[in-house]
Amino acid sequence: TSAAMAAVCGRGLLAPLSGRLRAGPRAPLRSVTGAAAPLYDVVVSGGGMVGSAMAAVLGHDIHFYDKKIALLEAGPRKEYSRMPDSYSNRVSSISPGSATLLSSFGAWDHVCSLRLKPFRRMQVWDACSEAMIVFEKDDLDDMGYIVENDVVMSALTKQLDAVGDRVEVFYGSRAVGYTWPLPSHSCDTSPWVQIELADGRRLQTKLLIGADGHNSVVRKEAKIKNVEHRYDQSAVVATLHLSEATDNNVAWQRFLPTGPIALLPLSDTVSSLVWSTSHEHASELLAMDEESFVDSINSAFWSNVNHSDFIDTAGAVFRSAISLLKPSGTAVRQLPPSIAKVDPESRAMFPLGMGHATEYVQHRVALIGDAAHRVHPLAGQGVNLGFGDIACLAHHLSAAAFNGSDLGSLKHLLKFETERQRHNVSLIAAIDVLKRLYSTRLAPLVLLRTWGLQATNALPPVKVRI
Amino acid sequence: LFRPTVKRLFSTSHSSVDSKEMKKFQLLAHKWWDEEGEYSALHSMNDIRVPFIRDTLLNMSSNYHLGKPLSGVKILDVGCGGGLLSEPLGRLGASVTGIDPLEDNIRTADRHKSFDPVLAKRIQYKSSSLEEIVEESMETFDVIVASEVVEHVADLEMFIKCCSQVLKPEGSLFITTINKTQLSYVLGIVIAEKIIGIVPEGTHEWEKFVPPEELERLLESNGFSVKTLNGMLYNPLSGSWSWMESTSVNYAMHAVKSGAQGQSSPTDTLSETESEQPSATAGTTM
């Protein structure tokens, strides 16, 4: 991963801008005959959670009051006035920072009025040892929220409607081609990005924001290199019913040698499963009958078959050492709730991978969300990184608009890139390292992570940073 | 740092615009919009001069149009070049008239704004010198910006008089220019032109640089009241400008034309960053 790290760090601070100004196919010399394609100030390509939130944030920004924004989404419109009784199997862990962003333009209220589950504690432990780490805020505040993706989308759709005079949403519209402008000092051709939709319609924009996921077409067409790696894991998701009702305000994650299994609370009786495991095992899990599936889950959380005496002893020794130095530094391991049944039809799987774009921006282009960076779900960070991108980019675009600047200018786009790469690269690398570290039974590595986890659990400053 | 237009104002005894100077800047007429080219310092100057103009005007008015803070303001951009300053002001909602004696500059400016329908409507460019438009534009403009221009003007007092004529009473005049000090000679000419080469050699003549006291004296004696004086500094490593207390190299000035009575109000409250009031004893400080 060190080579990958070097690549993901992208360009140095003093890299000349000129390399960024030519991207992909050039706009041909064209004489304007007939009506020119409509010109937008910003077009966001991709109407998922991150793309929709980006368009909504800009639409609510006071300095964008007279600007024209468009959002392109290939799928249909998603809005619910009330949620169906059953829970969706695609959920996200929303951090408090992301919740703040969503409430800044009124979307969080909609989420709260639909449904969400705050959690107060997070217990993470190893299958190969007794090591465990517990996260919880001192003041018993919410650590985060488990929200169905459909709920977030519905809230975002409502807030996009609220600024419909500034943000135009094109549903069922897939962008099939982009044409890039020449650098700004060449005056003969259009300086804007040209977008062609599947139905033949054309748009022009001063700034294109790519929020089209980890297989981003914007990124590919802009010829931005992507460092990517397919994990040999798939994630199995499902909606589970607990054996008995409980407060259910704890998020559980256990690292098995095949991959982490996580139980995320949705209500007092329902939790969401995210089980990252090998492709073969994932297919087996999907194929087996419901009873066996439930048994596998309970066994994954409860069984100690992967413990070895050596590791247990070493771990116990370390734990006593810690308790001498820091009596409060060890905690009792709690057991997660047991599962009674799984929602029929709620089992699904999807392959996992990591990715990082070497550049987040080019002249008139910016990437956010999974288009810029893709991570393993083990840390529950994916969508939160995307929301962090939005907060940063919106901040710089708002200032640029208030300065009368050209929105597509690299000057402020690079500031966004620097800030976010600095924040993201270390986190993405850490998640990747964690994934690899926990994918093994080898004693030395297990010992390393056991001691590491125990030490981290005992050290408040480190825990707070996480 | 420099403005590739040289204005010699018409008067019965002066000659017209220097054609030799014009030819020198003709070559650069197409380079205006290359953000990394010869004009990069002027591009990055927008980061401080646009907020300066915008915030000064916002503080003086009570209207605020969401998204268009300068809506309804008529601005004259004197020596507009390729339109580097006209465009941001236009984006903020102002109606801008940009004038420049060099036709190629106007052509570049016109072409660049033509792709953006909003800007094309808000900005009008004209190939002209300042005194050529005085007759038809008496007391027409709310604001005049003369950025990196006065260090190229032959008759500064004439220039200021013309500004006063086309400006409405209580209108604002914004000037950015270079001070005439040893430091500005070293930084602005020796280093900028001869050593680093961020300014083409021969662009500036130190003799033409204007000290702020001199500018203030001329303004105050021609019906203006100087409200703000700020020093500016360019960092060639980062390519960015910042405000600085000392005005020994570059500086920006804001002055207001006196009201209809023709007297500047003596009880004007002045901002912290202002210099001392000009008087007979000023001029030996700094």
Side-chain angles (χ1 to χ4, degrees):
Chain A
T1 35
S2 58
M5 275 289 293
V8 306
C9 287
R11 295 157 181 267
L13 283 170
L14 298 177
L17 293 178
S18 53
R20 306 279 191 116
L21 297 177
R22 291 156 236 278
R26 311 279 179 81
L29 246 93
R30 56 167 117 247
S31 55
V32 180
T33 50
L39 174 64
Y40 292 87
D41 293 286
V42 180
V43 168
V44 180
S45 183
M49 286 192 284
V50 173
S52 301
M54 181 85 241
V57 166
L58 291 179
H60 282 84
D61 187 295
I62 51 170
H63 301 308
F64 271 74
Y65 206 73
D66 68 336
K67 304 261 186 275
K68 285 177 65 181
I69 303 164
L71 173 64
L72 303 176
E73 166 54 30
R77 185 184 155 92
K78 281 197 190 129
E79 194 187 356
Y80 301 90
S81 46
R82 58 175 292 275
M83 298 304 293
D85 285 333
S86 60
Y87 285 85
S88 158
N89 60 8
R90 295 306 305 269
V91 308
S92 296
S93 168
I94 305 289
S95 68
S98 298
T100 305
L101 174 73
L102 291 171
S103 59
S104 74
F105 60 95
W108 191 244
D109 286 338
H110 297 312
V111 170
C112 294
S113 68
L114 284 171
R115 64 188 177 203
L116 80 167
K117 189 76 176 76
F119 62 93
R120 301 254 172 85
R121 258 175 102 240
M122 195 151 73
Q123 178 174 300
V124 179
W125 73 111
D126 198 335
C128 299
S129 76
E130 290 292 322
M132 169 192 76
I133 185 165
V134 174
F135 296 96
E136 86 192 309
K137 283 197 163 156
D138 290 324
D139 38 2
L140 291 184
D141 250 352
D142 295 330
M143 275 194 68
Y145 311 89
I146 305 298
V147 188
E148 292 154 277
N149 294 355
D150 285 342
V151 168
V152 177
M153 278 311 306
S154 183
L156 293 174
T157 306
K158 266 214 189 72
Q159 286 312 95
L160 283 170
D161 285 345
V163 289
D165 51 348
R166 286 192 278 296
V167 183
E168 211 177 321
V169 187
F170 293 76
Y171 290 107
S173 304
R174 180 184 306 276
V176 296
Y178 299 100
T179 327
W180 311 110
L182 289 168
S184 44
H185 57 273
S186 187
C187 274
D188 296 327
T189 59
S190 167
W192 316 127
V193 178
Q194 314 288 326
I195 304 170
E196 190 177 337
L197 301 181
D199 60 6
R201 277 182 297 179
R202 301 181 141 263
L203 308 172
Q204 297 186 84
T205 182
K206 301 175 188 173
L207 172 65
L208 173 67
I209 299 181
D212 46 351
H214 65 261
N215 281 325
S216 169
V217 174
V218 173
R219 186 189 68 222
K220 290 189 185 136
E221 295 269 317
K223 303 264 195 308
I224 293 177
K225 284 209 196 62
N226 194 39
V227 176
E228 57 190 27
H229 176 83
R230 276 200 202 96
Y231 293 130
D232 49 7
Q233 285 185 347
S234 284
V236 172
V237 293
T239 310
L240 307 173
H241 293 264
L242 309 181
S243 308
E244 47 185 57
T246 156
D247 272 342
N248 206 14
N249 53 15
V250 180
W252 310 93
Q253 177 152 286
R254 191 179 198 194
F255 282 99
L256 307 174
T258 46
I261 178 170
L263 208 59
L264 305 172
L266 284 171
S267 76
D268 287 350
T269 54
V270 180
S271 285
S272 185
L273 172 78
V274 183
W275 191 347
S276 310
T277 183
S278 67
H279 298 305
E280 307 77 44
H281 187 216
S283 308
E284 279 169 31
L285 286 170
L286 247 57
M288 58 176 69
D289 61 277
E290 292 180 8
E291 256 191 65
S292 316
F293 183 67
V294 168
D295 286 341
S296 308
I297 298 174
N298 286 325
S299 150
F301 275 114
W302 291 55
S303 126
N304 281 340
V305 71
N306 284 301
H307 285 206
S308 78
D309 287 333
F310 169 61
I311 298 290
D312 279 351
T313 316
V317 165
F318 195 64
R319 207 164 46 244
S320 346
I322 289 183
S323 56
L324 282 175
L325 297 166
K326 208 178 182 316
S328 64
T330 58
V332 176
R333 178 154 69 106
Q334 296 192 340
L335 287 169
S338 77
I339 307 301
K341 73 181 184 76
V342 56
D343 254 355
E345 316 292 323
S346 74
R347 278 186 272 175
M349 70 183 254
F350 50 91
L352 298 175
M354 74 83 88
H356 194 249
T358 50
E359 293 159 6
Y360 287 1
V361 299
Q362 271 188 6
H363 181 56
R364 301 206 184 283
V365 183
L367 299 176
I368 57 174
D370 279 7
H373 40 70
R374 181 191 184 197
V375 296
H376 195 282
L378 67 83
Q381 289 307 308
V383 79
N384 296 310
L385 283 179
F387 286 137
D389 291 343
I390 293 174
C392 181
L393 183 56
H395 166 80
H396 287 290
L397 289 180
S398 183
F402 194 42
N403 281 352
S405 303
D406 178 352
L407 289 176
S409 163
L410 258 181
K411 259 201 318 207
H412 51 264
L413 292 181
L414 279 175
K415 288 192 197 150
F416 153 73
E417 179 189 77
T418 307
E419 254 182 69
R420 287 311 289 173
Q421 281 197 337
R422 217 182 278 148
H423 174 275
N424 291 346
V425 167
S426 39
L427 185 57
I428 294 169
I431 294 175
D432 189 61
V433 164
L434 272 180
K435 186 252 167 223
R436 292 169 196 277
L437 184 60
Y438 275 94
S439 295
T440 173
R441 275 196 196 82
L442 294 176
L445 288 168
V446 175
L447 209 52
L448 174 70
R449 73 198 193 205
T450 300
W451 286 344
L453 203 58
Q454 284 173 320
T456 311
N457 195 32
L459 296 171
V462 182
K463 272 173 71 166
V464 163
R465 269 214 83 213
I466 298 178
Chain B
L1 270 175
F2 65 98
R3 202 55 165 192
T5 59
V6 175
K7 251 190 285 298
R8 284 178 197 267
L9 302 173
F10 282 125
S11 79
T12 49
S13 53
H14 281 194
S15 60
S16 62
V17 181
D18 188 337
S19 58
K20 212 172 62 168
E21 294 269 21
M22 298 273 270
K23 269 209 196 77
K24 189 164 54 174
F25 297 119
Q26 191 90 8
L27 298 169
L28 297 174
H30 302 287
K31 301 292 186 77
W32 281 104
W33 288 99
D34 180 0
E35 281 186 32
E36 294 303 298
E38 282 88 345
Y39 292 103
S40 64
L42 279 178
H43 276 276
S44 57
M45 198 194 278
N46 277 344
D47 292 340
I48 61 169
R49 60 183 173 174
V50 173
F52 175 56
I53 296 169
R54 172 198 78 206
D55 291 341
T56 307
L57 294 176
L58 283 177
N59 280 339
M60 292 185 349
S61 101
S62 46
N63 293 339
Y64 185 76
H65 300 256
L66 273 183
K68 290 186 286 192
L70 298 184
S71 174
V73 180
K74 290 187 70 175
I75 303 184
L76 175 67
D77 184 2
V78 183
C80 62
L84 264 60
L85 182 51
S86 299
E87 289 205 2
L89 294 174
R91 281 197 199 96
L92 291 178
S95 305
V96 184
T97 302
I99 63 172
D100 196 283
L102 193 54
E103 260 187 57
D104 274 357
N105 285 347
I106 296 298
R107 210 167 300 150
T108 302
D110 260 328
R111 199 150 18 128
H112 195 265
K113 75 156 193 187
S114 68
F115 292 102
D116 185 340
V118 167
L119 282 185
K121 242 185 357 187
R122 287 191 193 150
I123 308 177
Q124 305 306 321
Y125 291 114
K126 218 166 150 189
S127 175
S128 161
S129 63
L130 177 58
E131 75 280 358
E132 278 170 345
I133 64 158
V134 163
E135 253 187 67
E136 74 212 23
S137 322
M138 295 295 287
E139 299 206 338
T140 306
F141 296 101
D142 300 299
V143 176
I144 298 182
V145 301
S147 182
E148 305 305 300
V149 169
V150 300
E151 70 265 26
H152 295 281
V153 161
D155 188 340
L156 186 51
E157 177 142 32
M158 187 71 199
F159 180 85
I160 290 172
K161 280 189 164 59
C162 289
C163 285
S164 179
Q165 285 174 296
V166 301
L167 201 54
K168 288 183 189 163
E170 319 263 337
S172 281
L173 172 61
F174 292 92
I175 294 177
T176 77
T177 187
I178 311 179
N179 196 349
K180 189 176 178 182
T181 60
Q182 283 186 332
L183 192 56
S184 75
Y185 181 72
V186 171
L187 289 182
I189 297 192
V190 176
I191 293 185
E193 286 187 17
K194 301 191 200 293
I195 297 184
I196 306 184
I198 45 178
V199 176
E201 235 189 288
T203 301
H204 285 132
E205 292 171 43
W206 187 79
E207 284 305 318
K208 288 228 189 97
F209 286 175
V210 185
E213 310 83 42
E214 161 93 5
L215 186 58
E216 227 181 298
R217 182 185 64 77
L218 284 172
L219 286 169
E220 298 268 340
S221 58
N222 280 286
F224 283 95
S225 162
V226 174
K227 299 288 184 196
T228 314
L229 171 63
N230 283 331
M232 295 159 57
L233 183 65
Y234 182 66
N235 179 344
L237 293 174
S238 65
S240 64
W241 289 86
S242 53
W243 294 113
M244 168 168 83
E245 241 194 83
S246 158
T247 54
S248 26
V249 192
N250 294 75
Y251 64 93
M253 191 176 272
H254 169 233
V256 172
K257 175 177 167 180
S258 54
Q261 303 89 336
Q263 296 153 2
S264 28
S265 34
T267 53
D268 275 336
T269 48
L270 309 169
S271 63
E272 271 174 45
T273 46
E274 204 188 36
S275 66
E276 317 97 74
Q277 282 291 343
S279 67
T281 56
T284 51
T285 54
M286 289 206 190

